[in-house]
Every structure is written in structure tokens, then in C-alpha cells.
């Protein structure tokens, strides 16, 4: 990467998602703003990924300059050496900005099974087809799903022993669509803003299972905080749902990113945030993949320590 000043030419590499989702859109937004603010020789590239452990590794090991990952708390786990990073803490990551997204990881099962709680799921042992992302060392979604089940005393092998089947999908929307289309009986996944969730709730075809308090305490000890979905978020659902926090996109880098480049990225995102929001404002705010409006003070709360260059901008702008 070029270490030239912000008004000279830069060469930066990002890692986003599969290429057609929100992390790539954020990376494209930042790339555009950098190109508009530097010399014409500036070049950027965006690698495809899954926005999980792969992004953390790629940035930490110097394969790319800027990473984007969701949820933000899983990058914090890497920084603190929690969960899968217990024996390999990643200490060279720094935050640049947060892009807000309201999201949770939840368990939904067809109402026809008559299962209304995680304890009933354990006791009734239904032969269900469960759609999840694979825990393959790349995706936060797959890791979190397995941890949620195990914290409740259930393994994927248990579900197979019940006569069920595990259906693996890389992308979260594919898991949800599998249940919506009738190809799965239950789903343990994030992306609660997907319309398929609302349509299943509207038809009374899905029962959401709140996670148990003791299970959530075990998950929190590993760095995975809990959160709730308010009553009424899903149409016809009058109860609060206890779930796993899965909010926000984190833009992060290594400690060796030049201060002036980190400053430039933070300032460009804050100053151009309304242009980025326009791509989401046609969607109701709490159903949007980006929870607009972007608040500069919230953008500065990155969980992991801010890069000094980004921190300098946020302080000058009155965000900290």
C-alpha cells in the first residue's frame, strides 16, 4: 500500500462480502469517496469474502488493507482473545467506522411442530430439517448458530439423531428462503429484516424461540452479547424475543495504516453519509439493511480501539 498523503495517490485493497450485498456496497462507497478526494492515480480493489473470520484474518495477516465484517462484536472477540480467538488473539486491528444495522440471530421453527420454547425443543426432539450456515472457519453465522445450540444443550448431531437433517447454506438469505419455500422446517440465522421472515410471521407459519437466560450468559462469556427483538417487530408477534446480538458493520484496518489515510477514510464517510443513505431510504428504517440516518457519533463507536488517525478526525468533528 502507498503511504502517500491523502491528497496524493493511494493503492488500497478491501475485503467485503460475496459481491452483491451490503459490505461490498460500503466498500464501494468508501472507494469512490477516496478516489474523488485523491489524485487520479489512486487505485482500489475489493476482494470477495463472507464478512466473517475471513475478513479478520485477511486484514490481520496483511493480505488486504481494509476489512468489513458483521457483526461488530465478533471483531471485538478477536481483539480480546475470546471465543474462537482464545488461543490466538488478534491485537493489530483498529476501527475506522461503524455502519449501523439492526439485526439479531434468531431461531424460527414451523408452528406445525408445536414447539414453543428451547426447552420444548430439547424434550420433544422433533425430526426437523434445520437450515444453517456451515461452521467452516469462515463465517460468523455458522459459528454462532452452533454455539447457540450447544449453549442450550443441543448439538447438530442430536438433531440428526432425532431423525432430522442439517441443511447448509453459505448465505443467510438462502437459509431463510429455504424455510419460506418449504424446503426447511426451522432456521437459525440472522438477517431479520428479510421480507420472508415477515411473511411467515404474518401467515402464522413460524414460531420464534427465545433463547434461555443461562444460555445467553454462557454466550456472553465468550464475547457474544444478547439482545432483544421488541414485541411487534414481526407482524402479529406480541412478545419480546430474546436473541443474539448481530448488529452493525465494522470498517477496520491494521495498526500500520498511515494516520492520514485513516483520517481521510473516517472524514469521507461522515461527510458523504447522506449520499450513501439515499440507497436505503426507500425501505422502512427498521426493515432496511442499513439503519439510517447514520449518526457520526455512533459511527465512531467501533468497539475495538479506533485507529489514531480516525480518532483524530472524530475528535475534531465533535463526535467523541
Amino acid at each position: 500500500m502507498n503511504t502517500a498523503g491523502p491528497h496524493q495517490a493511494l493503492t488500497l485493497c478491501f475485503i467485503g462480502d460475496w459481491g452483491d450485498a451490503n459490505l461490498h456496497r460500503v466498500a464501494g462507497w468508501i472507494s469512490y469517496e477516496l478516489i474523488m478526494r485523491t489524485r487520479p492515480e489512486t487505485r482500489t480493489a475489493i476482494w470477495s469474502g463472507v464478512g466473517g473470520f475471513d475478513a479478520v484474518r485477511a486484514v490481520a495477516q496483511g493480505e488486504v488493507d481494509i476489512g468489513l465484517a458483521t457483526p461488530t462484536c465478533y471483531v471485538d472477540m478477536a481483539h480480546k482473545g475470546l471465543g474462537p480467538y482464545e488461543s490466538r488473539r488478534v491485537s493489530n486491528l483498529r476501527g475506522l467506522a461503524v455502519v449501523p444495522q439492526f439485526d439479531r440471530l434468531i431461531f424460527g421453527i414451523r408452528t406445525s411442530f408445536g414447539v414453543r420454547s428451547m426447552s420444548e425443543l430439547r424434550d420433544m426432539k422433533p425430526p426437523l430439517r434445520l437450515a444453517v450456515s456451515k461452521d467452516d472457519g469462515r463465517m460468523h453465522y455458522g459459528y454462532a448458530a452452533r454455539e447457540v445450540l450447544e449453549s442450550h444443550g443441543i448439538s447438530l448431531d442430536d438433531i440428526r439423531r432425532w431423525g432430522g437433517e442439517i441443511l447448509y447454506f453459505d448465505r443467510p438469505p438462502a437459509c431463510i428462503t429455504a424455510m419460506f419455500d418449504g424446503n426447511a422446517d426451522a432456521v437459525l440465522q440472522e438477517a431479520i429484516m428479510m421480507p420472508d421472515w415477515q411473511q411467515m410471521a404474518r401467515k402464522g407459519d413460524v414460531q420464534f424461540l427465545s433463547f434461555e437466560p443461562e444460555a445467553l450468559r454462557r454466550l456472553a462469556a465468550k464475547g457474544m452479547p444478547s439482545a432483544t427483538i421488541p414485541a411487534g417487530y414481526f407482524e402479529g408477534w406480541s412478545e419480546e424475543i430474546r436473541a443474539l446480538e448481530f448488529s452493525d458493520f465494522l470498517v477496520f484496518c491494521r495498526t500500520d495504516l498511515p494516520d492520514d489515510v485513516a483520517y481521510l477514510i473516517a472524514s469521507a464517510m461522515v461527510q458523504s453519509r447522506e449520499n450513501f443513505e439515499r440507497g436505503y431510504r426507500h425501505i422502512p428504517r427498521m426493515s432496511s439493511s442499513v439503519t439510517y440516518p447514520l449518526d457520526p457519533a455512533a459511527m465512531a463507536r467501533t468497539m475495538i480501539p479506533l485507529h489514531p488517525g480516525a480518532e483524530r478526525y472524530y475528535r475534531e468533528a465533535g463526535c467523541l
Side-chain angles (χ1 to χ4, degrees), residues 240-256:
E240 184 179 77
I241 304 167
R242 294 186 302 272
L244 204 61
E245 175 67 271
F246 238 75
S247 293
D248 300 337
F249 310 140
L250 180 65
V251 184
F252 62 101
C253 62
R254 286 187 309 283
T255 52
D256 62 355

mmCIF file of all heavy atoms in Angstrom, residues 240-256:
data_model
loop_
_atom_site.group_PDB
_atom_site.id
_atom_site.type_symbol
_atom_site.label_atom_id
_atom_site.label_comp_id
_atom_site.label_asym_id
_atom_site.label_seq_id
_atom_site.Cartn_x
_atom_site.Cartn_y
_atom_site.Cartn_z
ATOM 1 N N GLU A 240 -41.752 -9.988 23.309
ATOM 2 C CA GLU A 240 -40.334 -9.704 23.078
ATOM 3 C C GLU A 240 -39.587 -11.017 22.878
ATOM 4 O O GLU A 240 -39.906 -12.020 23.513
ATOM 5 C CB GLU A 240 -39.781 -8.951 24.295
ATOM 6 C CG GLU A 240 -38.350 -8.510 24.160
ATOM 7 C CD GLU A 240 -37.865 -7.752 25.382
ATOM 8 O OE1 GLU A 240 -37.568 -8.422 26.403
ATOM 9 O OE2 GLU A 240 -37.807 -6.505 25.335
ATOM 10 N N ILE A 241 -38.605 -11.021 22.000
ATOM 11 C CA ILE A 241 -37.839 -12.233 21.705
ATOM 12 C C ILE A 241 -36.405 -12.036 22.164
ATOM 13 O O ILE A 241 -35.743 -11.064 21.778
ATOM 14 C CB ILE A 241 -37.857 -12.545 20.191
ATOM 15 C CG1 ILE A 241 -39.289 -12.649 19.676
ATOM 16 C CG2 ILE A 241 -37.083 -13.825 19.896
ATOM 17 C CD1 ILE A 241 -39.394 -12.631 18.162
ATOM 18 N N ARG A 242 -35.917 -12.947 23.000
ATOM 19 C CA ARG A 242 -34.506 -12.915 23.409
ATOM 20 C C ARG A 242 -33.669 -13.583 22.318
ATOM 21 O O ARG A 242 -33.958 -14.714 21.917
ATOM 22 C CB ARG A 242 -34.297 -13.631 24.742
ATOM 23 C CG ARG A 242 -34.972 -12.961 25.927
ATOM 24 C CD ARG A 242 -34.593 -13.646 27.238
ATOM 25 N NE ARG A 242 -34.945 -15.063 27.225
ATOM 26 C CZ ARG A 242 -36.112 -15.559 27.597
ATOM 27 N NH1 ARG A 242 -37.080 -14.751 28.015
ATOM 28 N NH2 ARG A 242 -36.340 -16.859 27.562
ATOM 29 N N ALA A 243 -32.632 -12.893 21.882
ATOM 30 C CA ALA A 243 -31.857 -13.371 20.737
ATOM 31 C C ALA A 243 -30.388 -13.028 20.927
ATOM 32 O O ALA A 243 -29.978 -12.530 21.988
ATOM 33 C CB ALA A 243 -32.393 -12.738 19.447
ATOM 34 N N LEU A 244 -29.600 -13.275 19.907
ATOM 35 C CA LEU A 244 -28.176 -12.963 19.929
ATOM 36 C C LEU A 244 -27.950 -11.676 19.145
ATOM 37 O O LEU A 244 -28.489 -11.501 18.048
ATOM 38 C CB LEU A 244 -27.390 -14.111 19.292
ATOM 39 C CG LEU A 244 -25.923 -14.258 19.695
ATOM 40 C CD1 LEU A 244 -25.789 -14.524 21.190
ATOM 41 C CD2 LEU A 244 -25.270 -15.385 18.905
ATOM 42 N N GLU A 245 -27.177 -10.779 19.718
ATOM 43 C CA GLU A 245 -26.857 -9.527 19.045
ATOM 44 C C GLU A 245 -26.087 -9.802 17.751
ATOM 45 O O GLU A 245 -25.122 -10.573 17.753
ATOM 46 C CB GLU A 245 -26.015 -8.650 19.973
ATOM 47 C CG GLU A 245 -25.509 -7.358 19.360
ATOM 48 C CD GLU A 245 -26.628 -6.389 19.054
ATOM 49 O OE1 GLU A 245 -27.156 -6.490 17.929
ATOM 50 O OE2 GLU A 245 -26.964 -5.563 19.926
ATOM 51 N N PHE A 246 -26.544 -9.218 16.669
ATOM 52 C CA PHE A 246 -25.861 -9.423 15.392
ATOM 53 C C PHE A 246 -25.881 -8.133 14.569
ATOM 54 O O PHE A 246 -26.005 -8.170 13.340
ATOM 55 C CB PHE A 246 -26.519 -10.567 14.604
ATOM 56 C CG PHE A 246 -25.556 -11.674 14.264
ATOM 57 C CD1 PHE A 246 -25.133 -12.572 15.229
ATOM 58 C CD2 PHE A 246 -25.056 -11.813 12.986
ATOM 59 C CE1 PHE A 246 -24.232 -13.584 14.921
ATOM 60 C CE2 PHE A 246 -24.157 -12.813 12.663
ATOM 61 C CZ PHE A 246 -23.748 -13.713 13.635
ATOM 62 N N SER A 247 -25.731 -7.001 15.251
ATOM 63 C CA SER A 247 -25.914 -5.709 14.602
ATOM 64 C C SER A 247 -24.609 -5.125 14.074
ATOM 65 O O SER A 247 -23.526 -5.419 14.581
ATOM 66 C CB SER A 247 -26.533 -4.714 15.584
ATOM 67 O OG SER A 247 -27.846 -5.080 15.910
ATOM 68 N N ASP A 248 -24.764 -4.284 13.071
ATOM 69 C CA ASP A 248 -23.758 -3.334 12.602
ATOM 70 C C ASP A 248 -22.645 -3.957 11.764
ATOM 71 O O ASP A 248 -22.300 -5.127 11.912
ATOM 72 C CB ASP A 248 -23.140 -2.571 13.775
ATOM 73 C CG ASP A 248 -24.170 -1.784 14.560
ATOM 74 O OD1 ASP A 248 -25.221 -1.465 13.990
ATOM 75 O OD2 ASP A 248 -23.921 -1.514 15.750
ATOM 76 N N PHE A 249 -22.109 -3.103 10.878
ATOM 77 C CA PHE A 249 -20.954 -3.446 10.046
ATOM 78 C C PHE A 249 -19.758 -2.656 10.567
ATOM 79 O O PHE A 249 -19.862 -1.448 10.811
ATOM 80 C CB PHE A 249 -21.180 -3.057 8.587
ATOM 81 C CG PHE A 249 -22.474 -3.535 8.000
ATOM 82 C CD1 PHE A 249 -23.199 -2.718 7.144
ATOM 83 C CD2 PHE A 249 -22.979 -4.796 8.291
ATOM 84 C CE1 PHE A 249 -24.392 -3.142 6.576
ATOM 85 C CE2 PHE A 249 -24.172 -5.232 7.736
ATOM 86 C CZ PHE A 249 -24.885 -4.408 6.882
ATOM 87 N N LEU A 250 -18.635 -3.318 10.707
ATOM 88 C CA LEU A 250 -17.415 -2.641 11.155
ATOM 89 C C LEU A 250 -16.452 -2.489 9.994
ATOM 90 O O LEU A 250 -16.176 -3.447 9.267
ATOM 91 C CB LEU A 250 -16.743 -3.432 12.279
ATOM 92 C CG LEU A 250 -15.444 -2.823 12.823
ATOM 93 C CD1 LEU A 250 -15.725 -1.480 13.496
ATOM 94 C CD2 LEU A 250 -14.757 -3.766 13.810
ATOM 95 N N VAL A 251 -15.938 -1.274 9.823
ATOM 96 C CA VAL A 251 -14.853 -0.999 8.890
ATOM 97 C C VAL A 251 -13.583 -0.913 9.728
ATOM 98 O O VAL A 251 -13.503 -0.102 10.663
ATOM 99 C CB VAL A 251 -15.087 0.317 8.125
ATOM 100 C CG1 VAL A 251 -13.983 0.540 7.089
ATOM 101 C CG2 VAL A 251 -16.464 0.323 7.458
ATOM 102 N N PHE A 252 -12.602 -1.748 9.421
ATOM 103 C CA PHE A 252 -11.417 -1.815 10.281
ATOM 104 C C PHE A 252 -10.147 -2.011 9.455
ATOM 105 O O PHE A 252 -10.197 -2.320 8.259
ATOM 106 C CB PHE A 252 -11.569 -2.927 11.317
ATOM 107 C CG PHE A 252 -11.709 -4.315 10.736
ATOM 108 C CD1 PHE A 252 -10.626 -5.186 10.693
ATOM 109 C CD2 PHE A 252 -12.935 -4.767 10.245
ATOM 110 C CE1 PHE A 252 -10.751 -6.467 10.163
ATOM 111 C CE2 PHE A 252 -13.069 -6.038 9.709
ATOM 112 C CZ PHE A 252 -11.978 -6.894 9.671
ATOM 113 N N CYS A 253 -9.022 -1.826 10.105
ATOM 114 C CA CYS A 253 -7.725 -1.886 9.426
ATOM 115 C C CYS A 253 -6.684 -2.418 10.410
ATOM 116 O O CYS A 253 -7.012 -2.811 11.519
ATOM 117 C CB CYS A 253 -7.324 -0.491 8.936
ATOM 118 S SG CYS A 253 -7.113 0.704 10.279
ATOM 119 N N ARG A 254 -5.430 -2.395 9.998
ATOM 120 C CA ARG A 254 -4.326 -2.740 10.896
ATOM 121 C C ARG A 254 -3.755 -1.478 11.538
ATOM 122 O O ARG A 254 -3.995 -0.354 11.084
ATOM 123 C CB ARG A 254 -3.198 -3.461 10.144
ATOM 124 C CG ARG A 254 -3.498 -4.879 9.760
ATOM 125 C CD ARG A 254 -2.247 -5.552 9.170
ATOM 126 N NE ARG A 254 -1.646 -4.742 8.123
ATOM 127 C CZ ARG A 254 -2.120 -4.655 6.881
ATOM 128 N NH1 ARG A 254 -3.232 -5.303 6.541
ATOM 129 N NH2 ARG A 254 -1.521 -3.896 5.987
ATOM 130 N N THR A 255 -2.939 -1.687 12.542
ATOM 131 C CA THR A 255 -2.306 -0.560 13.230
ATOM 132 C C THR A 255 -1.350 0.198 12.318
ATOM 133 O O THR A 255 -1.064 1.374 12.559
ATOM 134 C CB THR A 255 -1.529 -1.059 14.456
ATOM 135 O OG1 THR A 255 -0.646 -2.126 14.059
ATOM 136 C CG2 THR A 255 -2.471 -1.588 15.529
ATOM 137 N N ASP A 256 -0.844 -0.457 11.252
ATOM 138 C CA ASP A 256 0.154 0.207 10.408
ATOM 139 C C ASP A 256 -0.449 1.024 9.266
ATOM 140 O O ASP A 256 0.288 1.556 8.435
ATOM 141 C CB ASP A 256 1.159 -0.806 9.852
ATOM 142 C CG ASP A 256 0.509 -1.857 8.950
ATOM 143 O OD1 ASP A 256 -0.734 -1.862 8.817
ATOM 144 O OD2 ASP A 256 1.244 -2.703 8.391
#
